[in-house]
Amino acid sequence: MTQTPVPEKGAKLYEGKAKILYETSDPDLVIQYFKDDATAFNAQKKGTIVEKGIVNNRIATVLFQLLEENGVKTHFVRKLSDREMLCHKLTIVPIEVVVRNIVAGSLSKRMGLPEGEVLPRPILEFYYKRDDLDDPPINDDHALVFNLATAEELAHIRREAFRVNELLIKFLDPRGIRLVDFKLEFGRGTGKNAGQLLLGDEITPDGCRFWDKATNEKLDKDRFRRDLGKIEESYHEVERRICEA
Ligand code: 5GP
């Protein structure tokens, strides 16, 4: 199989809390650079997780490849270096898509339920991706009325998000990881991907809750958010189970 040639790295397009996007000499490709910076509670808490960028790039590469092999269209093209991934350029749909299998985090607060309760079926939630508003929860009607996405796009997002959930559970369970919940972002493609929605962003312990299957120990960014210690160790443990098993 011929590999896409590596385009030249260009100017910085966008810098987020955990990643930087660079344009490239190919107008339809970008380079996603993973930083060590960690933020929580809409950047009110800031810190660094040593080597997080390297670890997350490795984890996201394995998980995007898994999804691609199973027919989920993602922005992943290939890993370029320790911290860099070549991706299809997207216009991000401003909706954070959360899938939940087990009660935790904001669902626990909203419903007054203890963390750890297994849901009878997965729940899909939408949040408006707006830092200045603290990403408020929205439903399909908000998304449609405020033109965040079309009905066809919402149907695609719903279907793909549940499919990603099933594929990740199947992959993570034998590796001793419970997939509690996770956040996805989708975007509209350009060039040969025009007219298509692709899964974007990243799938890493920054945006997923991963609990140890035997002990329910948290192995994700909640260790940073809640000052639980062993942050780097937990990221490396997830990396070991996902990338080496
Ligand atoms: P919760 O709504 O319980 O805070 O988060 C649900 C899931 O979505 C968690 O796995 C959490 O990591 C992820 N998530 C929600 N919002 C964000 C966000 O703005 N950034 C990141 N990295 N993850 C998020």
Side-chain angles (χ1 to χ4, degrees):
M1 209 171 80
T2 52
Q3 276 204 329
T4 321
V6 180
E8 262 175 61
K9 189 169 174 177
K12 194 193 279 190
L13 264 178
Y14 166 82
E15 179 154 3
K17 287 172 258 180
K19 296 185 295 292
I20 306 173
L21 281 186
Y22 294 92
E23 56 185 24
T24 71
S25 49
D26 183 327
D28 299 319
L29 295 173
V30 295
I31 290 171
Q32 174 159 270
Y33 177 96
F34 289 78
K35 302 196 284 185
D36 287 350
D37 297 353
T39 63
F41 315 116
N42 201 8
Q44 286 175 55
K45 176 175 176 153
K46 289 187 182 151
T48 301
I49 300 176
V50 178
E51 293 193 347
K52 173 168 81 76
I54 298 171
V55 170
N56 278 359
N57 194 24
R58 287 194 72 201
I59 293 172
T61 294
V62 170
L63 297 180
F64 277 135
Q65 280 169 341
L66 168 82
L67 297 177
E68 285 280 342
E69 281 161 17
N70 287 279
V72 177
K73 289 198 160 57
T74 79
H75 71 157
F76 177 81
V77 178
R78 73 187 140 105
K79 187 169 183 270
L80 293 178
S81 67
D82 268 4
R83 291 174 182 274
E84 290 174 321
M85 177 185 278
L86 186 64
C87 296
H88 296 294
K89 191 172 189 172
L90 299 179
T91 305
I92 289 289
V93 173
I95 298 175
E96 297 198 343
V97 180
V98 170
V99 180
R100 301 181 185 270
N101 298 302
I102 296 171
V103 173
S106 70
L107 182 67
S108 158
K109 283 211 185 78
R110 202 183 321 161
M111 300 304 289
L113 292 170
E115 288 202 315
E117 194 169 307
V118 178
L119 298 168
R121 65 173 179 84
I123 290 178
L124 181 90
E125 297 173 345
F126 293 148
Y127 294 84
Y128 186 21
K129 188 174 157 62
R130 276 280 298 266
D131 280 346
D132 59 328
L133 301 176
D134 282 341
D135 300 340
I138 56 169
N139 64 23
D140 289 50
D141 272 354
H142 298 95
L144 291 171
V145 168
F146 297 109
N147 294 316
L148 307 182
T150 66
E152 293 71 32
E153 286 175 333
L154 291 181
H156 174 92
I157 287 172
R158 180 176 297 275
R159 203 172 49 239
E160 290 299 273
F162 283 129
R163 205 146 72 96
V164 168
N165 188 41
E166 280 170 22
L167 290 166
L168 290 180
I169 290 173
K170 204 167 133 195
F171 179 81
L172 294 170
D173 180 74
R175 289 164 177 80
I177 297 175
R178 294 177 89 191
L179 181 61
V180 174
D181 55 32
F182 57 97
K183 186 255 300 182
L184 300 177
E185 293 184 24
F186 291 82
R188 302 176 184 108
T190 65
K192 70 176 170 57
N193 294 316
Q196 291 201 65
L197 270 191
L198 309 184
L199 178 64
D201 195 47
E202 62 180 295
I203 305 177
T204 66
D206 273 16
C208 302
R209 287 197 172 93
F210 294 139
W211 291 359
D212 180 81
K213 197 170 142 183
T215 65
N216 277 342
E217 190 182 11
K218 298 182 198 315
L219 300 172
D220 54 61
K221 201 166 131 189
D222 272 349
R223 301 208 72 86
F224 168 79
R225 295 186 186 105
R226 304 180 189 188
D227 293 319
L228 298 175
K230 293 199 296 182
I231 303 170
E232 279 87 0
E233 289 91 323
S234 301
Y235 273 68
H236 279 296
E237 181 58 25
V238 170
E239 176 193 21
R240 192 185 62 74
R241 293 190 197 183
I242 288 180
C243 304
E244 292 170 20

